Amino acid sequence: MKRMIFIAPPAAGKGTQAKLICDLYNLEHISTGDLLRIEAENNVEIKNKMNAGEFIGDDIILSLIENKINSLNGVNGYILDGFPRNITQAKSFDKMLARNNQKIDYVIYIDVDKEVAKNRVTGRLYCTNCGSTYSELVEENKPQIENVCDRCHSNLVKREDDNAATFENRFDKYMSLTVPLLDYYKEQNNLYCVNGNQNSSGVSMAIKNIIEGEK
Ligand code: AMP
């Protein structure tokens, strides 16, 4: 069972990479953002917080994660995309793993410059059904048919939080609350860094090399 965490700034492409790597190794893609977007359909407080780029409370996040992990069946492991996002979540998650005699195998940090991430937000398209992301600007990430998901053929939309103002807040939260996780996992000796400023296939190749052991 492989367990991985992907850490990256908002709109760095970690969801896209997580999906690609999950397909390759038969892993479950667990995105707290995707789980919360489902919750937000019936919860105005969550919806408003997400649209403002604010974090959702740790208790809600931890119970979503625990339920999801406990429901896994027939996969070789999972990639956590967007979780943990602060030290409290990381420590609670470590306790959850320890209770089950489990550990994280790889924490992959996709290092992307703020300007690159900001540009990616502008053209990002999102599938409301399966959560796949595309770009209307970057040729290699365009959907085959305009505004239609390659994977499930549902409609593609822009995320409400993918705008310049919300991006700034999300990036600030990332810098102040999520970046400290890098030292936290470095101390646990399972942090691996990938250059995320390159194109999507370069990033996935770098992640594959880490998993295949050619660090
Ligand atoms: P993402 O899809 O990862 O960009 O997440 C979208 C939004 O969901 C974030 O801006 C937060 O509002 C919320 N969110 C996702 N994951 C978490 C988390 N682990 N802790 C708190 N809030 C989260």
Side-chain angles (χ1 to χ4, degrees):
M1 184 92 161
K2 276 196 193 332
R3 300 178 189 88
M4 294 185 230
I5 291 172
F6 280 16
I7 298 177
K14 70 180 174 346
T16 307
Q17 294 300 331
K19 275 204 185 317
L20 285 168
I21 300 295
C22 282
D23 284 352
L24 269 179
Y25 297 98
N26 184 29
L27 306 172
E28 182 83 10
H29 175 211
I30 304 180
S31 153
T32 39
D34 286 350
L35 295 173
L36 287 166
R37 274 180 280 280
I38 296 169
E39 296 290 311
E41 286 170 16
N42 299 309
N43 186 322
V44 113
E45 198 183 328
I46 291 183
K47 189 181 166 73
N48 289 344
K49 275 197 173 168
M50 288 177 81
N51 287 348
E54 296 294 322
F55 278 12
I56 308 304
D58 294 332
D59 290 349
I60 296 178
I61 301 291
L62 288 159
S63 84
L64 280 175
I65 284 289
E66 190 154 27
N67 289 342
K68 184 72 190 181
I69 289 178
N70 288 341
S71 73
L72 294 183
N73 215 329
V75 286
N76 294 332
Y78 54 77
I79 295 178
L80 295 172
D81 160 9
F83 174 89
R85 239 178 171 94
N86 61 29
I87 293 284
T88 309
Q89 292 180 10
K91 287 186 173 164
S92 302
F93 185 53
D94 276 348
K95 284 186 194 145
M96 196 187 297
L97 289 169
R99 280 198 298 274
N100 298 303
N101 289 320
Q102 296 170 353
K103 63 173 191 58
I104 289 294
D105 299 289
Y106 306 99
V107 179
I108 311 264
Y109 165 46
I110 307 175
D111 184 10
V112 176
D113 293 342
K114 182 176 178 183
E115 283 313 305
V116 174
K118 200 172 181 175
N119 285 337
R120 287 183 186 165
V121 151
T122 322
R124 185 152 74 164
L125 294 169
Y126 166 77
C127 174
T128 44
N129 181 48
C130 73
S132 294
T133 52
Y134 299 87
S135 171
E136 52 188 7
L137 303 177
V138 181
E139 203 53 48
E140 70 162 344
N141 297 336
K142 282 185 180 171
Q144 281 165 13
I145 302 167
E146 202 176 323
N147 288 329
V148 176
C149 178
D150 292 352
R151 285 165 178 259
C152 72
H153 311 294
S154 299
N155 274 348
L156 302 178
V157 296
K158 284 220 184 277
R159 271 171 49 173
E160 284 188 57
D161 58 346
D162 274 352
N163 58 68
T166 306
F167 175 81
E168 288 298 328
N169 195 25
R170 288 159 67 200
F171 198 86
D172 287 350
K173 292 280 174 307
Y174 167 75
M175 290 302 289
S176 57
L177 299 170
T178 307
V179 163
L181 291 178
L182 301 178
D183 277 341
Y184 180 82
Y185 287 116
K186 208 182 209 169
E187 276 171 27
Q188 295 190 2
N189 282 323
N190 51 10
L191 183 73
Y192 300 86
C193 182
V194 167
N195 171 12
N197 293 319
Q198 57 187 321
N199 65 16
S200 175
S201 33
V203 177
S204 40
M205 183 63 74
I207 297 172
K208 272 190 278 178
N209 286 344
I210 291 168
I211 297 169
E212 307 287 340
E214 299 165 36
K215 297 154 211 160

